Amino acid sequence: MSNARIFDEPWVQDAAARAGVSSQSPAVVRTVAGAVESQLRVLIQQTLSFQRKGKAKEMKVEHFNFALRKHRLEPIYGLSGPARGQANDDGELVSVEDLAKAFSAPAVPLKPVLALHWLAVNGTQPAVPENPVVLSDKAQDELKTLPKEFQNLYVRIVGSLLQAADAGTQRAVCGILAEDQCLQPLVPLLARFFHTQIKSHCRSQPTSHLSMILDAMAALQGNRHVSLEAHLTQMLPGVFTLVAAPQLGNDGRGAGDGDGGHWALRKRAARLIASLVRRYQSVFPDLFARVCRTYLDALSPPSGALPTVFGGIVGLAALGEESMRQLLLPAIPKVRGLLGELFGSDDDAAPDAAMDVDEADGAAGGARKRPASALLPTSSQRERQHRQAEALQCQQALREALAVLQRSRLPLHVRRPTTGGGVDEPADTCDLDESLGIFLAAQSPQTIPHAFLSL
């Protein structure tokens, strides 16, 4: 190596002046220059050694930093990483403000705030975003056998479904379940989770939560990269519960989530079962027959729950025209008789008659007046009105099924002449008898089931 010095005495004196050191004697300056040059030569040799060991073609800042760390010196900051540009040789001035505007500033971080939430209510942890997701012991044991990535994905999916995430997060979760190609190891855990949620919370959770669970199941069923045939025994009972359970959700009887309530939820669940039957009927030859038997039992429930009857109707209708023609049409007289019992009584006229008698007594000079509580419907009357509303939903489902069989929509409204003139007014929704008559008139005698001969 050449004996020519890299650092001369004027350079050392200039560096000492910038550091605030007073002028030194020439002997001290020569000693410092020799020591700095010797140390620098050692560092450069170490840097070349790291370059050769890393099989790099060029010496980089990282190699020099390795040499500094080996000698327990502070590394150089701000010069590592990929090059962001080259200096201009033309001497053009660059404004710092222009450079700042050229790069978008990072988003401002959220301001830290404090909020209160319940850790437990009556010994149960509420499902709020602030609380961690609690998995069952069996699910935790199975998760431990999976890679860390699958564990994190399962926890995020389950957490989004349990904590009632926003609509955007729900769509993202359904998108993952519908398109991800590597979900097969999580299918057993997801199937058990869906079954547990529906079985345990079909009455204690709002219909919006059940609707979210159903969306997740439909998304998973639509994933062509996932096979569910080994897990139908866990998924189908839960979906059947959403179709034919006497009560769904804790929103109140007849209440819903703004999109048709539990009636629309039952229809969507019936369509999901129909899609599962079409997909796996070749694997399980008796699947279609077992599903039809379940729906036929729902048409005549022992408890007489009309939501269960509604589930049987929409379930058979979702399976296709053949199931409606062979199974639903023969059962219509029995369903029609069950619904007709709710509209054949004159009990509803009793309150109006009692009110007329009281008004007549008051006009005759009697001092007796009806209390305000007497004007409100009794609990039995409210129950009957609710049953009649459920019967109307069943009738509407039957009309829609008949319309599909007839291959044209039946008129859901009839026009009735007024008493004051010849102008027609739209009346209420037509009853089941009228729709049934229209359907039978359009059929040939060979296609009419024997059950209709007595109608």
Side-chain angles (χ1 to χ4, degrees), residues 79-158:
L79 298 180
S80 61
R84 298 184 178 274
Q86 297 179 353
N88 295 330
D89 296 334
D90 54 1
E92 180 183 358
L93 296 178
V94 179
S95 174
V96 178
E97 295 181 358
D98 296 339
L99 290 177
K101 294 179 181 178
F103 299 97
S104 59
V108 179
L110 297 177
K111 183 180 180 181
V113 295
L114 296 177
L116 300 178
H117 65 90
W118 289 101
L119 292 176
V121 177
N122 294 330
T124 303
Q125 176 180 289
V128 295
E130 292 79 6
N131 289 332
V133 179
V134 179
L135 302 178
S136 62
D137 295 337
K138 190 173 184 180
Q140 290 180 355
D141 294 339
E142 293 189 10
L143 271 180
K144 293 178 181 178
T145 63
L146 297 177
K148 189 66 175 180
E149 293 78 7
F150 284 104
Q151 298 181 24
N152 295 335
L153 179 59
Y154 177 79
V155 171
R156 290 195 176 189
I157 292 175
V158 171

Side-chain angles (χ1 to χ4, degrees), residues 228-438:
L228 303 177
E229 60 182 72
H231 310 283
L232 289 182
T233 54
Q234 282 188 321
M235 296 188 64
L236 280 178
V239 188
F240 273 123
T241 301
L242 297 181
V243 175
Q247 180 182 346
L248 288 179
N250 60 356
D251 308 295
R253 299 184 65 176
D257 54 4
D259 297 322
H262 67 93
W263 305 108
L265 181 64
R266 296 174 190 273
K267 291 182 179 180
R268 291 167 48 209
R271 290 194 292 267
L272 176 57
I273 290 181
S275 62
L276 289 172
V277 170
R278 286 191 294 268
R279 182 175 178 180
Y280 297 103
Q281 187 175 5
S282 59
V283 182
F284 304 99
D286 61 338
L287 180 60
F288 181 81
R290 294 170 63 181
V291 170
C292 291
R293 170 55 56 189
T294 303
Y295 285 146
L296 286 177
D297 294 340
L299 292 178
S300 55
S303 61
L306 294 182
T308 303
V309 178
F310 177 87
I313 296 172
V314 298
L316 290 174
L319 291 177
E321 295 184 8
E322 191 63 26
S323 62
M324 286 190 289
R325 192 176 298 276
Q326 298 295 331
L327 301 175
L328 182 58
L329 285 183
I332 283 183
K334 180 171 55 177
V335 176
R336 181 166 162 260
L338 178 63
L339 302 180
E341 296 176 358
L342 298 174
F343 298 99
S345 176
D346 296 333
D347 294 342
D348 295 339
D352 296 335
M355 186 182 298
D356 295 339
V357 172
D358 290 341
E359 291 178 354
D361 293 341
R368 184 179 57 181
K369 294 183 179 180
R370 295 189 67 197
S373 60
L375 301 177
L376 300 176
T378 62
S379 59
S380 59
Q381 292 172 351
R382 287 193 299 268
E383 179 67 21
R384 182 174 181 82
Q385 292 173 359
H386 176 74
R387 293 270 295 174
Q388 290 177 350
E390 293 178 339
L392 291 177
Q393 292 289 341
C394 295
Q395 288 185 351
Q396 178 67 21
L398 281 175
R399 282 195 297 269
E400 293 175 357
L402 294 176
V404 172
L405 286 179
Q406 196 182 6
R407 298 300 181 89
S408 62
R409 183 174 293 277
L410 292 175
L412 298 183
H413 294 82
V414 295
R415 303 189 71 84
R416 193 172 298 163
T418 59
T419 56
V423 181
D424 293 344
E425 292 182 353
D428 296 332
T429 303
C430 63
D431 57 4
L432 180 61
D433 292 338
E434 182 175 355
S435 297
L436 191 59
I438 296 175

